[in-house]
Amino acid sequence: MSIEIKNITKRFGNFTALNNVNLKVNDGELIALLGPSGSGKTTLLRIIAGLEDFEPRDGTDILFKGKSVVGDPIGKRRIGFVFQHYALFRHQTVFENIAFGLRVRRGNERLSRTAIKKRVLELIHLIQLDTLENRYPDQLSGGQRQRVALARALAIEPKFLLLDEPFGALDARVRQNLRRWLRKLHDEIKLTSIFVTHDQEEALELADRIVVMNEGRIEQEGMPSEVFHKPKNEFVMDFLGNVNLFHEREDGSSVLGSENTSDLLKKYFVRPHEIDLVPPDNGGRGLPAVVKRVQLAGSLAKMELVDADGREIYVEFSHEKYNVYQFQVGNSVLAVPRKTVVFDDYAI
Ligand code: ATP
């Protein structure tokens, strides 16, 4: 089912948390709201859920499958929620926790005991905790608890799933496993879902589409490859991965990001993997720098350099490329940007 958000503005007192936000989420999509702390991600999620109101204005609306839901009670929106610290009931088993939303139903929505059992067991299977249904939350790992939280949200057969930093409290490895698991689950059940994260890697790996937020506005939305390779502005470029800032001087030479703009022509950005390094006696043009740190563990060779003014440059090579010169800490080099990005509105 699709979700459409039209011209949503939200103020807390004088503070504008959301500034005229428009967004369409297509049926079956998995969307990441990505942005720094305070950019309005959670507020937007809460407004979609009906937990928060917004400024009534002309043209303002929230539509589920083309139908306005403004004014509808929260229960009617039928949304599954998963939070960072999802409080499972400590004195209830995995089974009972997942069954909760089904057991509190009233009237003709209520299922028989047998139907509840069937549904819960199906969900336990879906989250791959088949033998753990009688465990209590404190007998589970953090990742397992978060999977139970997800099953609990799915039990009520929601029309949408909203996830607010669902893996935020977990360690890096568990986080990565759960991410892949959630992506697979999403591909199986195709439930329209929005998740909030400030982790760009998580957004890039998991989402069909990324919505980059900043100060209550959407800076850019697009497929992960699009926002990564074609950022619309400096903010998006900087937020989606490491970036080096250079300034070009009038004489054509380059310096690293500098506050003194008097003799600088333009500002440009270079990703760490778009910089070449050559020995200084190579006769080439580039920014003189010294290797400060080399990190060879992992899939890439990562280097930190400093220029004459002590400003840092980050460079990433494949190991094959690194092996050509095998730069060591203390070596002098020339840093040569291979692909630069200039944003018109940031040109000096
Ligand atoms: P985080 O990643 O830290 O959770 P976020 O992008 O989800 O951040 P929000 O929680 O949406 O940000 O908050 C957006 C802004 O609105 C913040 O500056 C926050 O302080 C403010 N805000 C949120 N809720 C309230 C409230 N109830 N009263 C006043 N200000 C609020």
Side-chain angles (χ1 to χ4, degrees):
M1 195 178 279
S2 63
I3 304 175
E4 211 173 336
I5 295 145
K6 290 186 170 175
N7 305 315
I8 296 291
T9 292
K10 171 74 186 174
R11 281 184 235 276
F12 293 107
N14 287 333
F15 178 77
T16 305
L18 291 176
N19 192 356
N20 201 26
V21 168
N22 289 277
L23 178 66
K24 176 140 198 240
V25 182
N26 298 315
D27 186 28
E29 254 188 327
L30 179 56
I31 293 275
L33 298 182
L34 174 70
S37 184
S39 54
K41 309 179 295 291
T42 298
T43 304
L44 184 56
L45 213 61
R46 287 174 57 80
I47 285 177
I48 294 170
L51 296 167
E52 198 83 66
D53 61 2
F54 50 86
E55 259 184 40
R57 288 177 172 190
D58 277 355
T60 288
D61 213 344
I62 298 179
L63 310 163
F64 288 0
K65 207 179 172 182
K67 224 175 132 256
S68 178
V69 292
V70 177
D72 279 2
I74 298 169
K76 208 178 153 200
R77 296 194 184 190
R78 207 120 168 206
I79 286 175
F81 242 120
V82 182
F83 298 101
Q84 180 171 349
H85 296 286
Y86 196 93
L88 296 175
F89 299 121
R90 286 185 54 219
H91 301 295
Q92 292 190 2
T93 62
V94 166
F95 185 98
E96 290 159 348
N97 264 286
I98 298 173
F100 176 79
L102 300 172
R103 286 190 171 145
V104 295
R105 277 190 187 166
R106 292 285 167 256
N108 52 10
E109 290 250 293
R110 195 171 167 83
L111 298 176
S112 70
R113 275 173 75 101
T114 328
I116 291 178
K117 184 166 182 190
K118 183 166 174 283
R119 167 87 58 79
V120 174
L121 290 179
E122 277 167 9
L123 284 162
I124 289 177
H125 183 63
L126 189 71
I127 58 165
Q128 297 162 352
L129 292 183
D130 288 280
T131 54
L132 306 184
E133 66 192 69
N134 293 320
R135 292 240 185 126
Y136 288 89
D138 61 7
Q139 298 171 320
L140 299 175
S141 71
Q144 289 168 337
R145 276 202 285 267
Q146 210 52 355
R147 270 145 63 188
V148 176
L150 196 65
R152 191 158 107 162
L154 292 173
I156 58 156
E157 289 189 275
K159 295 175 185 163
F160 312 107
L161 197 55
L162 304 182
L163 306 116
D164 195 351
E165 300 262 8
F167 312 135
L170 303 168
D171 74 50
R173 202 183 160 82
V174 178
R175 236 182 129 110
Q176 201 173 40
N177 287 340
L178 266 190
R179 232 187 254 167
R180 295 204 178 124
W181 174 83
L182 181 65
R183 181 67 239 188
K184 256 172 63 192
L185 184 75
H186 179 82
D187 290 342
E188 271 173 46
I189 61 177
K190 288 267 173 249
L191 188 62
T192 309
S193 307
I194 306 178
F195 73 99
V196 160
T197 183
H198 59 255
D199 178 340
Q200 42 101 4
E201 241 181 74
E202 190 158 287
L204 289 170
E205 191 173 320
L206 197 50
D208 293 319
R209 210 145 51 91
I210 296 180
V211 176
V212 184
M213 295 190 63
N214 179 31
E215 295 181 347
R217 283 174 292 107
I218 293 178
E219 294 278 0
Q220 186 172 1
E221 53 177 284
M223 291 190 330
S225 58
E226 206 174 327
V227 285
F228 187 80
H229 292 294
K230 291 186 186 153
K232 264 192 183 161
N233 58 34
E234 178 176 348
F235 177 84
V236 177
M237 174 118 200
D238 193 25
F239 202 74
L240 278 133
N242 275 334
V243 72
N244 295 290
L245 167 64
F246 285 83
H247 280 117
E248 192 175 283
R249 285 207 187 98
E250 273 183 41
D251 65 5
S253 64
S254 291
V255 287
L256 274 174
S258 157
E259 298 314 313
N260 177 9
T261 55
S262 56
D263 64 339
L264 304 175
L265 278 186
K266 67 175 184 197
K267 218 175 178 184
Y268 61 92
F269 297 86
V270 189
R271 292 261 188 235
H273 65 281
E274 308 278 14
I275 293 185
D276 287 333
L277 298 180
V278 291
D281 53 8
N282 214 31
R285 247 176 105 116
L287 182 73
V290 174
V291 179
K292 198 177 99 186
R293 196 174 132 78
V294 180
Q295 188 199 319
L296 296 178
S299 56
L300 293 171
K302 296 182 180 178
M303 283 165 281
E304 256 176 66
L305 320 171
V306 280
D307 73 353
D309 297 321
R311 281 186 287 254
E312 288 170 343
I313 314 174
Y314 298 94
V315 180
E316 287 172 6
F317 278 6
S318 67
H319 286 282
E320 289 78 11
K321 190 168 169 184
Y322 175 80
N323 283 334
V324 175
Y325 290 119
Q326 301 197 1
F327 293 113
Q328 305 292 324
V329 172
N331 284 170
S332 292
V333 294
L334 290 176
V336 187
R338 203 172 46 245
K339 187 177 160 206
T340 62
V341 179
V342 179
F343 298 108
D344 287 347
D345 44 339
Y346 288 98
I348 294 168

PDB file of all heavy atoms in Angstrom, residues 134-151:
ATOM      1  N   ASN A 134       9.481 -20.561  23.978  1.00  0.00           N
ATOM      2  CA  ASN A 134       9.168 -20.512  25.410  1.00  0.00           C
ATOM      3  C   ASN A 134      10.198 -19.745  26.233  1.00  0.00           C
ATOM      4  O   ASN A 134      10.112 -19.714  27.451  1.00  0.00           O
ATOM      5  CB  ASN A 134       9.015 -21.935  25.966  1.00  0.00           C
ATOM      6  CG  ASN A 134       7.781 -22.601  25.368  1.00  0.00           C
ATOM      7  OD1 ASN A 134       6.742 -21.944  25.217  1.00  0.00           O
ATOM      8  ND2 ASN A 134       7.913 -23.856  24.976  1.00  0.00           N
ATOM      9  N   ARG A 135      11.170 -19.133  25.558  1.00  0.00           N
ATOM     10  CA  ARG A 135      12.158 -18.350  26.299  1.00  0.00           C
ATOM     11  C   ARG A 135      11.575 -16.998  26.709  1.00  0.00           C
ATOM     12  O   ARG A 135      10.664 -16.481  26.072  1.00  0.00           O
ATOM     13  CB  ARG A 135      13.371 -18.078  25.404  1.00  0.00           C
ATOM     14  CG  ARG A 135      14.154 -19.310  25.088  1.00  0.00           C
ATOM     15  CD  ARG A 135      15.574 -19.154  25.584  1.00  0.00           C
ATOM     16  NE  ARG A 135      16.368 -20.287  25.194  1.00  0.00           N
ATOM     17  CZ  ARG A 135      17.501 -20.190  24.536  1.00  0.00           C
ATOM     18  NH1 ARG A 135      17.964 -19.016  24.187  1.00  0.00           N
ATOM     19  NH2 ARG A 135      18.190 -21.270  24.245  1.00  0.00           N
ATOM     20  N   TYR A 136      12.180 -16.428  27.751  1.00  0.00           N
ATOM     21  CA  TYR A 136      11.821 -15.078  28.187  1.00  0.00           C
ATOM     22  C   TYR A 136      12.822 -14.095  27.577  1.00  0.00           C
ATOM     23  O   TYR A 136      13.953 -14.487  27.241  1.00  0.00           O
ATOM     24  CB  TYR A 136      11.822 -14.999  29.719  1.00  0.00           C
ATOM     25  CG  TYR A 136      10.649 -15.747  30.302  1.00  0.00           C
ATOM     26  CD1 TYR A 136      10.749 -17.100  30.610  1.00  0.00           C
ATOM     27  CD2 TYR A 136       9.423 -15.108  30.480  1.00  0.00           C
ATOM     28  CE1 TYR A 136       9.667 -17.805  31.099  1.00  0.00           C
ATOM     29  CE2 TYR A 136       8.336 -15.799  30.976  1.00  0.00           C
ATOM     30  CZ  TYR A 136       8.460 -17.147  31.278  1.00  0.00           C
ATOM     31  OH  TYR A 136       7.375 -17.822  31.752  1.00  0.00           O
ATOM     32  N   PRO A 137      12.430 -12.805  27.441  1.00  0.00           N
ATOM     33  CA  PRO A 137      13.328 -11.847  26.772  1.00  0.00           C
ATOM     34  C   PRO A 137      14.751 -11.844  27.317  1.00  0.00           C
ATOM     35  O   PRO A 137      15.702 -11.739  26.540  1.00  0.00           O
ATOM     36  CB  PRO A 137      12.629 -10.509  27.005  1.00  0.00           C
ATOM     37  CG  PRO A 137      11.185 -10.872  27.043  1.00  0.00           C
ATOM     38  CD  PRO A 137      11.114 -12.206  27.732  1.00  0.00           C
ATOM     39  N   ASP A 138      14.925 -11.966  28.646  1.00  0.00           N
ATOM     40  CA  ASP A 138      16.308 -11.895  29.144  1.00  0.00           C
ATOM     41  C   ASP A 138      17.096 -13.179  28.887  1.00  0.00           C
ATOM     42  O   ASP A 138      18.253 -13.294  29.260  1.00  0.00           O
ATOM     43  CB  ASP A 138      16.356 -11.471  30.616  1.00  0.00           C
ATOM     44  CG  ASP A 138      15.639 -12.435  31.531  1.00  0.00           C
ATOM     45  OD1 ASP A 138      15.208 -13.502  31.034  1.00  0.00           O
ATOM     46  OD2 ASP A 138      15.518 -12.137  32.730  1.00  0.00           O
ATOM     47  N   GLN A 139      16.453 -14.155  28.250  1.00  0.00           N
ATOM     48  CA  GLN A 139      17.197 -15.359  27.834  1.00  0.00           C
ATOM     49  C   GLN A 139      17.538 -15.295  26.339  1.00  0.00           C
ATOM     50  O   GLN A 139      17.935 -16.290  25.743  1.00  0.00           O
ATOM     51  CB  GLN A 139      16.353 -16.610  28.104  1.00  0.00           C
ATOM     52  CG  GLN A 139      16.048 -16.802  29.588  1.00  0.00           C
ATOM     53  CD  GLN A 139      15.050 -17.907  29.829  1.00  0.00           C
ATOM     54  OE1 GLN A 139      14.073 -18.058  29.085  1.00  0.00           O
ATOM     55  NE2 GLN A 139      15.279 -18.693  30.865  1.00  0.00           N
ATOM     56  N   LEU A 140      17.363 -14.103  25.754  1.00  0.00           N
ATOM     57  CA  LEU A 140      17.640 -13.932  24.315  1.00  0.00           C
ATOM     58  C   LEU A 140      18.767 -12.921  24.119  1.00  0.00           C
ATOM     59  O   LEU A 140      18.989 -12.063  24.981  1.00  0.00           O
ATOM     60  CB  LEU A 140      16.400 -13.374  23.603  1.00  0.00           C
ATOM     61  CG  LEU A 140      15.116 -14.190  23.638  1.00  0.00           C
ATOM     62  CD1 LEU A 140      13.998 -13.385  22.987  1.00  0.00           C
ATOM     63  CD2 LEU A 140      15.295 -15.521  22.923  1.00  0.00           C
ATOM     64  N   SER A 141      19.441 -13.013  22.978  1.00  0.00           N
ATOM     65  CA  SER A 141      20.438 -11.988  22.639  1.00  0.00           C
ATOM     66  C   SER A 141      19.696 -10.736  22.164  1.00  0.00           C
ATOM     67  O   SER A 141      18.497 -10.788  21.858  1.00  0.00           O
ATOM     68  CB  SER A 141      21.340 -12.496  21.517  1.00  0.00           C
ATOM     69  OG  SER A 141      20.608 -12.535  20.312  1.00  0.00           O
ATOM     70  N   GLY A 142      20.426  -9.622  22.075  1.00  0.00           N
ATOM     71  CA  GLY A 142      19.817  -8.371  21.621  1.00  0.00           C
ATOM     72  C   GLY A 142      19.208  -8.506  20.233  1.00  0.00           C
ATOM     73  O   GLY A 142      18.105  -8.029  19.966  1.00  0.00           O
ATOM     74  N   GLY A 143      19.924  -9.194  19.349  1.00  0.00           N
ATOM     75  CA  GLY A 143      19.436  -9.379  17.980  1.00  0.00           C
ATOM     76  C   GLY A 143      18.176 -10.229  17.955  1.00  0.00           C
ATOM     77  O   GLY A 143      17.236  -9.953  17.196  1.00  0.00           O
ATOM     78  N   GLN A 144      18.147 -11.257  18.798  1.00  0.00           N
ATOM     79  CA  GLN A 144      16.954 -12.113  18.859  1.00  0.00           C
ATOM     80  C   GLN A 144      15.768 -11.327  19.413  1.00  0.00           C
ATOM     81  O   GLN A 144      14.649 -11.444  18.922  1.00  0.00           O
ATOM     82  CB  GLN A 144      17.231 -13.336  19.744  1.00  0.00           C
ATOM     83  CG  GLN A 144      18.190 -14.319  19.090  1.00  0.00           C
ATOM     84  CD  GLN A 144      18.695 -15.372  20.050  1.00  0.00           C
ATOM     85  OE1 GLN A 144      18.695 -15.184  21.271  1.00  0.00           O
ATOM     86  NE2 GLN A 144      19.148 -16.486  19.509  1.00  0.00           N
ATOM     87  N   ARG A 145      16.029 -10.496  20.411  1.00  0.00           N
ATOM     88  CA  ARG A 145      14.941  -9.683  20.989  1.00  0.00           C
ATOM     89  C   ARG A 145      14.366  -8.743  19.935  1.00  0.00           C
ATOM     90  O   ARG A 145      13.157  -8.563  19.852  1.00  0.00           O
ATOM     91  CB  ARG A 145      15.483  -8.844  22.164  1.00  0.00           C
ATOM     92  CG  ARG A 145      15.525  -9.612  23.468  1.00  0.00           C
ATOM     93  CD  ARG A 145      15.532  -8.645  24.639  1.00  0.00           C
ATOM     94  NE  ARG A 145      16.824  -8.021  24.776  1.00  0.00           N
ATOM     95  CZ  ARG A 145      17.797  -8.474  25.559  1.00  0.00           C
ATOM     96  NH1 ARG A 145      17.600  -9.552  26.305  1.00  0.00           N
ATOM     97  NH2 ARG A 145      18.954  -7.861  25.626  1.00  0.00           N
ATOM     98  N   GLN A 146      15.242  -8.181  19.123  1.00  0.00           N
ATOM     99  CA  GLN A 146      14.763  -7.241  18.119  1.00  0.00           C
ATOM    100  C   GLN A 146      13.938  -7.978  17.051  1.00  0.00           C
ATOM    101  O   GLN A 146      12.993  -7.426  16.502  1.00  0.00           O
ATOM    102  CB  GLN A 146      15.958  -6.491  17.514  1.00  0.00           C
ATOM    103  CG  GLN A 146      15.698  -5.096  17.042  1.00  0.00           C
ATOM    104  CD  GLN A 146      15.035  -4.169  18.064  1.00  0.00           C
ATOM    105  OE1 GLN A 146      14.654  -4.553  19.165  1.00  0.00           O
ATOM    106  NE2 GLN A 146      14.833  -2.937  17.671  1.00  0.00           N
ATOM    107  N   ARG A 147      14.291  -9.224  16.776  1.00  0.00           N
ATOM    108  CA  ARG A 147      13.497 -10.017  15.831  1.00  0.00           C
ATOM    109  C   ARG A 147      12.121 -10.317  16.424  1.00  0.00           C
ATOM    110  O   ARG A 147      11.111 -10.308  15.708  1.00  0.00           O
ATOM    111  CB  ARG A 147      14.240 -11.310  15.480  1.00  0.00           C
ATOM    112  CG  ARG A 147      15.129 -11.101  14.267  1.00  0.00           C
ATOM    113  CD  ARG A 147      16.403 -11.865  14.314  1.00  0.00           C
ATOM    114  NE  ARG A 147      16.260 -13.307  14.327  1.00  0.00           N
ATOM    115  CZ  ARG A 147      17.275 -14.146  14.521  1.00  0.00           C
ATOM    116  NH1 ARG A 147      18.486 -13.664  14.719  1.00  0.00           N
ATOM    117  NH2 ARG A 147      17.102 -15.426  14.511  1.00  0.00           N
ATOM    118  N   VAL A 148      12.076 -10.563  17.735  1.00  0.00           N
ATOM    119  CA  VAL A 148      10.776 -10.782  18.382  1.00  0.00           C
ATOM    120  C   VAL A 148       9.935  -9.507  18.289  1.00  0.00           C
ATOM    121  O   VAL A 148       8.734  -9.547  18.003  1.00  0.00           O
ATOM    122  CB  VAL A 148      10.948 -11.214  19.870  1.00  0.00           C
ATOM    123  CG1 VAL A 148       9.590 -11.338  20.551  1.00  0.00           C
ATOM    124  CG2 VAL A 148      11.715 -12.525  19.961  1.00  0.00           C
ATOM    125  N   ALA A 149      10.609  -8.360  18.491  1.00  0.00           N
ATOM    126  CA  ALA A 149       9.893  -7.082  18.391  1.00  0.00           C
ATOM    127  C   ALA A 149       9.285  -6.912  17.004  1.00  0.00           C
ATOM    128  O   ALA A 149       8.154  -6.442  16.843  1.00  0.00           O
ATOM    129  CB  ALA A 149      10.844  -5.932  18.698  1.00  0.00           C
ATOM    130  N   LEU A 150      10.025  -7.332  16.007  1.00  0.00           N
ATOM    131  CA  LEU A 150       9.546  -7.225  14.634  1.00  0.00           C
ATOM    132  C   LEU A 150       8.359  -8.171  14.416  1.00  0.00           C
ATOM    133  O   LEU A 150       7.345  -7.780  13.823  1.00  0.00           O
ATOM    134  CB  LEU A 150      10.693  -7.574  13.688  1.00  0.00           C
ATOM    135  CG  LEU A 150      10.507  -7.170  12.256  1.00  0.00           C
ATOM    136  CD1 LEU A 150      10.450  -5.659  12.131  1.00  0.00           C
ATOM    137  CD2 LEU A 150      11.669  -7.680  11.414  1.00  0.00           C
ATOM    138  N   ALA A 151       8.467  -9.398  14.935  1.00  0.00           N
ATOM    139  CA  ALA A 151       7.372 -10.351  14.784  1.00  0.00           C
ATOM    140  C   ALA A 151       6.125  -9.824  15.488  1.00  0.00           C
ATOM    141  O   ALA A 151       5.008  -9.979  15.001  1.00  0.00           O
ATOM    142  CB  ALA A 151       7.772 -11.705  15.367  1.00  0.00           C
TER     143      ALA A 151
END
